[in-house]
Amino acid sequence: MRNTISQKIIAGLILTVFTFSNTAMSAWAVDEVKPVLRTNGEETVQLKADVAITTAKNPVTLSLRDSDAKQVLRMFADQAGMNIIFDSGVSGKVTMDLVDVPLNQAFDLVLSIAGLTYVVEGNTLIVSSAGTEVSAAKQEITLIPVKYIDASAMADFLNKNIFTMKKPGLSSSEIVTTNPMTNELLVFGTKNDVAIAKKVVEKFDRKPLSTSIKVSHTTPEQMAELVCDMLLPATSSGTGGSTGGAASIKGGVVTGGASSGSSDEVELGGGEVACTVKAGSSGALAPMPLQSLAISYFTQQGTIGIMGGSEQQVEMIKEFIAQNDRKQPQAYLEVSIIELSESGSKTLANTWQYLSKNFSFNYASGTTRSDPNFPIFFHGNRYPYYAGPGQEPQYEVTKYTGPSALTYTINYILENNKGRVVANPRILITNGQESVIDLTSDYVKTVTSQVVSSSLTGAVQRTYEIGDDNGIKVTITPFISPDGYVTLNITPEYATIASRITSPNQQNPEIQDIQATLLQRRDLELKNVRIKDGETLVIGGMIREDEQKTIQKIPFLGDIPGIGMFFRTTATQRSKEEMLIMLTPKIINDDPVASTDTL
């Protein structure tokens, strides 16, 4: 018996020691090994009044079924030691089971379920239906200063998103306005209204981020447009609703604080706003368009400015610029443009002339007429010639008095002309950037004439349209690959004057006025032409060749086989033009490491 009792006592002691040791080890493990909670940096603002009808921490335990809300609230007021007044519209029943709930929380739960609100005046609770204004509680104006954002936007946000949502303990109408002179909020509400407004202002009234990023290898304008077109549309998508979402708006001028003048003025430190991300509206909630993200560029400083946005957005834009602000390969392009022209003519002219006392005949250059100095006379020896109105007559046209004569002359002419025009421009081309070599000249394209007076000798007003594409123009877009090749998109355009359309001048018919100019074009479009570094590409075959043959003859005599050639005048004109373009690219290697290796 004694052994059994002793064994039981020893077993109890061992169990006690084992239990105590496990408890101690568990407590030590809890103290030493603490779980790490992950946070995502989110911040919240509680958009309801802080119910504090008592400072005592007395828990409430209740179990009620279909109890009158007034009686329940009166019981809570008694526990808090406060008076209570009910508005005439307060009604309703509540059913609850609460175990050890703080009195303030229980009071707030009943108000929320029953659709009621309250205000505190001294030691008295005034309870009314949600949406019912209690004018006695709104006899003060509270000024809340706003530092960095627009107070009117903040007032609109508070009125539409907080004070019209019928939250317990808060006003249910628009109670916030602004003083635009001082950028302050004016709150016509209770202490709870003022406390919520201050919380929201403290949350959003922060100095916007301002960052300047140096651009080294691209122009600030190009990089800013790249950020706006490629990066910001992905971050400014809508959040729901037919009218929701943000938008990227382009345009605007910033002048670094100075007033902006005309576009021709020089603005030191000025820049351009590339785009601005504006917040949109979603449903019944008002947006917060306070710190819009704006991208600007300053050409003179070589920087891109970021105003507003979050730190994550700024970092994203920095990474985007760092990835795309890379040095572009360049090449030295030597261009030789050669224009070859060759023209010639061959003329075989036969001239016949017959003179007698009464008759003269002349055939020259394919025309048949009387000799102007000795015309046909049927009677008399001469006739007077009047030089002008009121002038004395002059007997200058006389009759031929010499012996009869028949003369024949032959004229054979060969003419050859050769010309060569050479242009040898040298340009620096950048990867992906279009370059233009323009060797054109201006010309009168069309002429529009208009009589501005009704008299017979009225003045004529002419309007000239000037063209500027007569000549050679070459457009080149390169792609410089790292393997030592240059791929070119080449568009040569070659235009020459083909002919001019003229008409006699109205005041002086001997003068021909230009009405229009017709061009002859020879254009090419070459895509993805691949040239090795240092090699020459020759573009040829742009040839224009013309041939004109004119035959003038004496009727019947010029058609006689064999001897008809002596009564004909033949003129042949030929012209030939060709343009050659030779391109020689040389890739520029300005990599410091490569330069060192080369040396």
Side-chain angles (χ1 to χ4, degrees):
M1 183 71 179
R2 290 181 179 178
N3 293 333
T4 303
I5 295 174
S6 300
Q7 291 176 355
K8 289 182 179 180
I9 293 174
I10 292 173
L13 291 175
I14 293 174
L15 181 61
T16 301
V17 172
F18 178 78
T19 303
F20 176 77
S21 61
N22 286 343
T23 304
M25 290 296 293
S26 300
W28 177 82
V30 171
D31 291 339
E32 294 297 328
V33 182
K34 297 181 180 180
V36 179
L37 298 180
R38 298 178 60 184
T39 60
N40 54 6
E42 296 180 353
E43 299 181 15
T44 59
V45 177
Q46 185 178 359
L47 299 180
K48 67 176 184 177
D50 293 332
V51 178
I53 61 177
T54 181
T55 58
K57 297 181 180 180
N58 299 326
V60 175
T61 299
L62 288 175
S63 179
L64 302 175
R65 297 291 182 275
D66 294 331
S67 300
D68 186 16
K70 291 183 179 180
Q71 299 300 327
V72 176
L73 295 176
R74 184 179 291 111
M75 178 178 58
F76 289 159
D78 291 341
Q79 291 291 328
M82 298 187 68
N83 303 316
I84 189 169
I85 300 176
F86 294 99
D87 184 70
S88 59
V90 176
S91 62
K93 296 182 180 295
V94 294
T95 298
M96 63 178 65
D97 288 304
L98 302 179
V99 178
D100 293 337
V101 177
L103 180 61
N104 292 329
Q105 183 178 356
F107 182 76
D108 182 54
L109 291 174
V110 173
L111 290 177
S112 300
I113 294 173
L116 304 175
T117 185
Y118 79 100
V119 293
V120 178
E121 286 291 327
N123 195 35
T124 302
L125 293 172
I126 303 176
V127 180
S128 61
S129 300
T132 303
E133 300 296 334
V134 181
S135 59
K138 300 180 179 180
Q139 298 179 355
E140 296 180 354
I141 299 177
T142 303
L143 304 180
I144 302 177
V146 180
K147 298 179 181 179
Y148 303 107
I149 59 180
D150 184 13
S152 60
M154 177 60 71
D156 186 65
F157 179 83
L158 292 171
N159 287 327
K160 293 183 178 180
N161 296 337
I162 297 178
F163 295 120
T164 57
M165 297 299 178
K166 299 181 181 180
K167 299 179 183 295
L170 299 179
S171 298
S172 57
S173 61
E174 297 184 0
I175 62 171
V176 184
T177 186
T178 62
N179 181 4
M181 295 183 62
T182 58
N183 200 43
E184 292 178 323
L185 295 179
L186 307 181
V187 182
F188 296 82
T190 63
K191 295 181 180 179
N192 289 337
D193 297 333
V194 174
I196 289 295
K198 287 183 177 179
K199 285 183 180 180
V200 175
V201 170
E202 183 181 357
K203 171 64 179 177
F204 294 103
D205 187 25
R206 298 178 181 179
K207 186 176 181 180
L209 297 176
S210 178
T211 307
S212 179
I213 303 176
K214 187 75 173 179
V215 180
S216 301
H217 304 296
T218 58
T219 64
E221 180 179 2
Q222 291 175 339
M223 182 56 67
E225 292 181 354
L226 198 63
V227 171
C228 293
D229 295 338
M230 296 186 62
L231 187 62
L232 291 188
T235 63
S236 59
S237 59
T239 57
S242 59
T243 60
S248 179
I249 304 174
K250 292 187 177 183
V253 178
V254 294
T255 58
S259 60
S260 60
S262 63
S263 59
D264 296 333
E265 296 180 357
V266 177
E267 299 173 354
L268 297 179
E272 294 282 342
V273 176
C275 61
T276 303
V277 178
K278 294 290 186 180
S281 176
S282 178
L285 297 178
M288 178 65 77
L290 303 177
Q291 298 184 18
S292 57
L293 176 61
I295 305 296
S296 59
Y297 60 90
F298 298 82
T299 303
Q300 296 177 358
Q301 302 176 11
T303 58
I304 292 177
I306 305 174
M307 179 62 70
S310 63
E311 295 181 358
Q312 290 78 10
Q313 287 178 321
V314 173
E315 290 299 324
M316 180 178 60
I317 295 174
K318 285 183 177 179
E319 293 178 0
F320 182 83
I321 293 177
Q323 293 175 358
N324 293 276
D325 186 28
R326 300 295 180 88
K327 184 183 299 183
Q328 293 296 326
Q330 291 183 324
Y332 174 79
L333 183 64
E334 183 175 356
V335 183
S336 296
I337 302 175
I338 304 175
E339 181 184 2
L340 303 176
S341 63
E342 181 178 353
S343 62
S345 63
K346 180 175 67 174
T347 303
L348 176 61
N350 297 290
T351 303
W352 293 86
Q353 187 176 31
Y354 173 74
L355 298 174
S356 66
K357 294 180 179 180
N358 295 320
F359 178 73
S360 65
F361 170 79
N362 183 31
Y363 169 78
S365 300
T367 60
T368 304
R369 64 180 183 273
S370 299
D371 194 321
N373 294 324
F374 306 105
I376 299 174
F377 272 80
F378 294 97
H379 179 73
N381 296 323
R382 61 181 180 174
Y383 67 89
Y385 170 77
Y386 293 90
Q391 301 290 332
E392 294 294 332
Q394 299 177 0
Y395 297 93
E396 295 183 353
V397 182
T398 61
K399 182 179 180 181
Y400 177 74
T401 58
S404 299
L406 177 63
T407 60
Y408 168 74
T409 59
I410 185 172
N411 187 12
Y412 184 73
I413 300 174
L414 290 176
E415 183 180 357
N416 289 317
N417 295 320
K418 293 185 178 181
R420 183 180 183 184
V421 178
V422 179
N424 191 19
R426 295 171 174 84
I427 60 175
L428 192 66
I429 55 176
T430 304
N431 189 31
Q433 299 296 321
E434 181 181 282
S435 301
V436 178
I437 301 173
D438 193 347
L439 303 176
T440 59
S441 60
D442 297 340
Y443 62 96
V444 178
K445 188 175 183 180
T446 58
V447 180
T448 304
S449 302
Q450 182 179 3
V451 179
V452 295
S453 177
S454 60
S455 62
L456 295 178
T457 59
V460 179
Q461 179 180 352
R462 293 180 176 85
T463 303
Y464 295 89
E465 181 183 359
I466 305 300
D468 58 356
D469 55 347
N470 178 29
I472 303 171
K473 183 178 181 181
V474 182
T475 303
I476 302 172
T477 303
F479 173 73
I480 305 171
S481 62
D483 58 353
Y485 282 87
V486 179
T487 304
L488 299 176
N489 290 340
I490 311 168
T491 306
E493 301 174 4
Y494 182 33
T496 57
I497 296 178
S499 62
R500 287 186 172 92
I501 300 175
T502 61
S503 64
N505 189 290
Q506 296 182 2
Q507 297 178 345
N508 189 355
E510 296 181 359
I511 301 177
Q512 297 292 322
D513 292 335
I514 298 176
Q515 298 300 316
T517 302
L518 303 180
L519 296 181
Q520 178 171 305
R521 304 180 184 275
R522 282 168 283 173
D523 300 338
L524 291 177
E525 186 174 359
L526 306 178
K527 296 290 187 180
N528 300 327
V529 180
R530 197 161 181 255
I531 315 172
K532 191 174 182 180
D533 181 21
E535 293 185 350
T536 301
L537 171 68
V538 179
I539 303 174
M542 302 178 69
I543 301 174
R544 183 177 75 94
E545 187 172 359
D546 294 332
E547 181 176 351
Q548 295 180 354
K549 187 174 183 180
T550 305
I551 299 177
Q552 297 172 334
K553 61 184 178 180
I554 299 175
F556 182 72
L557 296 178
D559 297 329
I560 298 176
I563 64 173
M565 60 177 297
F566 298 103
F567 301 97
R568 291 196 301 263
T569 297
T570 304
T572 303
Q573 293 182 347
R574 293 180 179 178
S575 62
K576 182 179 180 181
E577 296 179 355
E578 181 180 4
M579 186 180 70
L580 299 175
I581 300 177
M582 294 184 290
L583 305 173
T584 305
K586 298 178 181 179
I587 299 176
I588 298 175
N589 191 353
D590 55 356
D591 189 356
V593 177
S595 301
T596 304
D597 295 340
T598 303
L599 294 177

